[in-house]
Amino acid sequence: MTPPKKRIAILGSTGSIGQQTLDIVRANPDRLQVEVLTAQNNADLLIEQAIAFEPNAVVVGEEKYKYVKEALQKHDIKVFTGADALCQVVQMETVDIVLAAIVGFAGLRSTIAAIEAGKPIALANKETLVVAGALVTALAKEKGVNIYPVDSEHSAIFQCLAGEFHNKIEKIYLTASGGPFRGKDTKFLSSVTKAEALKHPNWSMGAKITIDSATMMNKGLEIIEAGWLFGLKPEQIEVIIHPQSIIHSLVQFEDGSIKAQMGLPDMKLPIQYALFYPQRIASTFKRFDFAAYPSLTFEKPDMQTFPAIQLAYEAMKKGGNLPCVLNAANEIAVGAFLNDEIRFNDIPAVVEKCMNKVNYIATPSLPDYIASDTEARKEAQSLTKKKISL
Ligand code: NAD
Ligand code: MG
């Protein structure tokens, strides 16, 4: 007997992860059904997706609401707008799983709302755990909700842990490609352009995470994300540069044994694993060819040139609202860099200054996180406007 279709809400369906999730739905029409699609600005793509997948509801940013509503009026699809609507659609009875792929702090509230309604989460939006990991993981535990990682490194760790849940993790290694500026020095980084920073060697992703990969802040965010997902201390998490992006991460157990998960870099694999866990579904994804990769190499990260990793360790160690401040300052600094307002090296500098400036709160509530996010954004904005220099 075929199991019933999983009805999925895709938050951020027009993004890189959202579109790849829809590719998986297209390849598995008997297993998946789209219940909700959401996007902020890309109305035309959202309309196209809605017509193709016929969800029950879509949510779009306010500026595009009228346009989308008119375009879909002949279809049996509800159209909503606003942050509250995002929180409501994920709670609908007809939603079986929520794929959280909004970028940044903007994804926090809807993910919390989904957990509150007891919906399993396939989590791409790492910022949710960076900002409010304590609150989100406690709520998930209380509601008995599973959070399945979509981030490739965390999916790799999760896959390595299959059958090992009673065995203690000694440490994990998060692999990083090193981004487009691996091996460069601070002087070189001071003059890199937006176009250079947006050229990731191995992955095609949204603009924000691509810049985060170039500064290595992405790995910093992933350290904090891994801490919450797997209950690890900062000293149990090590970053290792692996330029080929074939080994997606590793777990070292107490007997010294290391398990790694590997494959070609393709986000569809971790997305699909999160959606169907614990089952592995047959796929036509390109297979790995050992002859094409005669050597897989590893090196230590250069934390002097890429201070973002250290900032993340510091935020994780001090905890409280500091990771939230780091995240907010980073979002503003990345936006300013993409707007040609600041230089590449100013990104971690803005983050560090904000971490030192914003008031520390040891055990923040959700309103505290929201206030810290706002305060850090304001501080970061004033720094980027002043064009601070290193
Ligand atoms: P993206 O920029 O391509 O897409 C972001 C999506 O979020 C879009 O659909 C956009 O409409 C929506 N969105 C943006 N701002 C919003 C707002 N204020 N309110 C509501 N919706 C909003 O980003 P992406 O690369 O798909 O990444 C999404 C998330 O997944 C990020 O948290 C990223 O760190 C994580 N992630 C991405 C990859 C990847 O390969 N792209 C890998 C690992 C993790
Ligand atoms: Mg990742």
Side-chain angles (χ1 to χ4, degrees):
M1 210 181 74
T2 43
K5 288 187 194 180
K6 244 187 201 177
R7 296 162 298 178
I8 174 172
I10 305 178
L11 308 182
S13 65
T14 56
S16 158
I17 293 290
Q19 291 186 56
Q20 293 181 80
T21 305
L22 286 172
D23 289 343
I24 294 168
V25 178
R26 235 177 249 115
N28 295 279
D30 49 340
R31 290 192 166 101
L32 292 170
Q33 180 181 315
V34 177
E35 199 55 19
V36 173
L37 293 172
T38 86
Q40 184 68 359
N41 288 317
N42 194 343
D44 288 322
L45 181 56
L46 180 66
I47 292 163
E48 194 187 308
Q49 292 176 340
I51 291 170
F53 291 95
E54 298 178 317
N56 186 345
V58 302
V59 184
V60 68
E62 262 153 49
E63 281 177 27
K64 302 289 166 69
Y65 172 67
K66 253 187 144 179
Y67 180 72
V68 173
K69 184 141 177 92
E70 268 167 34
L72 295 178
Q73 65 182 351
K74 291 208 183 81
H75 299 262
D76 188 17
I77 300 170
K78 299 180 199 86
V79 181
F80 302 111
T81 187
D84 289 343
L86 270 179
C87 294
Q88 282 156 13
V89 290
V90 294
Q91 297 191 329
M92 295 192 314
E93 217 170 286
T94 48
V95 169
D96 296 320
I97 186 164
V98 174
L99 189 287
I102 290 175
V103 59
F105 181 88
L108 176 67
R109 273 191 59 206
S110 47
T111 305
I112 290 178
I115 297 172
E116 264 166 357
K119 309 293 184 188
I121 310 289
L123 187 73
N125 177 239
K126 64 191 85 188
E127 294 90 345
T128 284
L129 286 179
V130 172
V131 168
L135 188 149
V136 169
T137 52
L139 184 67
K141 202 169 168 200
E142 181 196 323
K143 300 285 177 185
V145 162
N146 288 329
I147 299 177
Y148 303 110
V150 167
D151 215 347
S152 58
E153 297 76 1
H154 306 73
S155 175
I157 303 289
F158 188 53
Q159 292 181 56
C160 291
L161 290 175
E164 302 277 7
F165 288 101
H166 296 290
N167 291 324
K168 258 197 179 160
I169 298 173
E170 191 166 80
K171 68 189 288 190
I172 63 167
Y173 292 91
L174 292 180
T175 52
S177 70
F181 306 134
R182 181 175 62 90
K184 305 296 186 198
D185 59 17
T186 308
K187 189 165 172 286
F188 181 92
L189 293 187
S190 67
S191 62
V192 296
T193 64
K194 185 166 73 178
E196 288 166 329
L198 282 170
K199 248 188 240 143
H200 194 279
N202 303 339
W203 300 94
S204 159
M205 311 177 283
K208 193 253 176 187
I209 182 173
T210 305
I211 300 301
D212 284 347
S213 300
T215 60
M216 301 285 299
M217 182 57 90
N218 183 49
K219 215 45 58 181
L221 301 177
E222 291 183 355
I223 291 168
I224 302 172
E225 180 188 16
W228 289 116
L229 281 171
F230 306 112
L232 301 171
K233 298 192 184 83
E235 55 274 18
Q236 289 176 288
I237 306 171
E238 189 170 330
V239 172
I240 188 91
I241 304 291
H242 166 46
Q244 298 81 21
S245 296
I246 296 299
I247 292 186
H248 299 306
S249 277
L250 314 92
V251 180
Q252 181 172 308
F253 294 94
E254 283 190 311
D255 59 357
S257 176
I258 295 178
K259 278 169 89 173
Q261 188 266 335
M262 62 191 283
L264 289 171
D266 181 349
M267 285 308 296
K268 286 200 282 298
L269 209 143
I271 296 170
Q272 180 169 297
Y273 190 75
L275 292 179
F276 291 107
Y277 177 86
Q279 226 189 326
R280 287 189 188 271
I281 300 290
S283 86
T284 57
F285 309 151
K286 202 170 164 219
R287 274 21 180 190
F288 181 69
D289 172 10
F290 279 88
Y293 289 88
S295 67
L296 297 180
T297 61
F298 306 92
E299 55 197 66
K300 291 253 178 208
D302 174 356
M303 302 221 223
Q304 256 56 53
T305 309
F306 298 95
I309 299 180
Q310 268 170 342
L311 292 173
Y313 272 123
E314 191 189 321
M316 186 180 179
K317 279 181 193 149
K318 292 193 183 146
N321 65 338
L322 213 54
C324 169
V325 170
L326 166 135
N327 177 70
N330 182 57
E331 285 191 31
I332 295 296
V334 170
F337 174 70
L338 288 172
N339 264 338
D340 299 314
E341 290 163 19
I342 59 170
R343 293 173 313 159
F344 187 78
N345 282 340
D346 294 332
I347 299 173
V350 166
V351 173
E352 186 172 10
K353 287 195 175 177
C354 288
M355 283 170 66
N356 292 331
K357 185 84 191 277
V358 176
N359 283 326
Y360 179 72
I361 305 171
T363 47
S365 62
L366 183 57
D368 290 333
Y369 284 122
I370 294 169
S372 298
D373 176 79
T374 307
E375 194 187 337
R377 274 167 205 273
K378 267 195 201 137
E379 184 59 32
Q381 253 147 5
S382 83
L383 289 166
T384 57
K385 292 286 172 290
K386 272 189 241 156
K387 294 199 194 301
I388 55 144
S389 51
L390 294 166

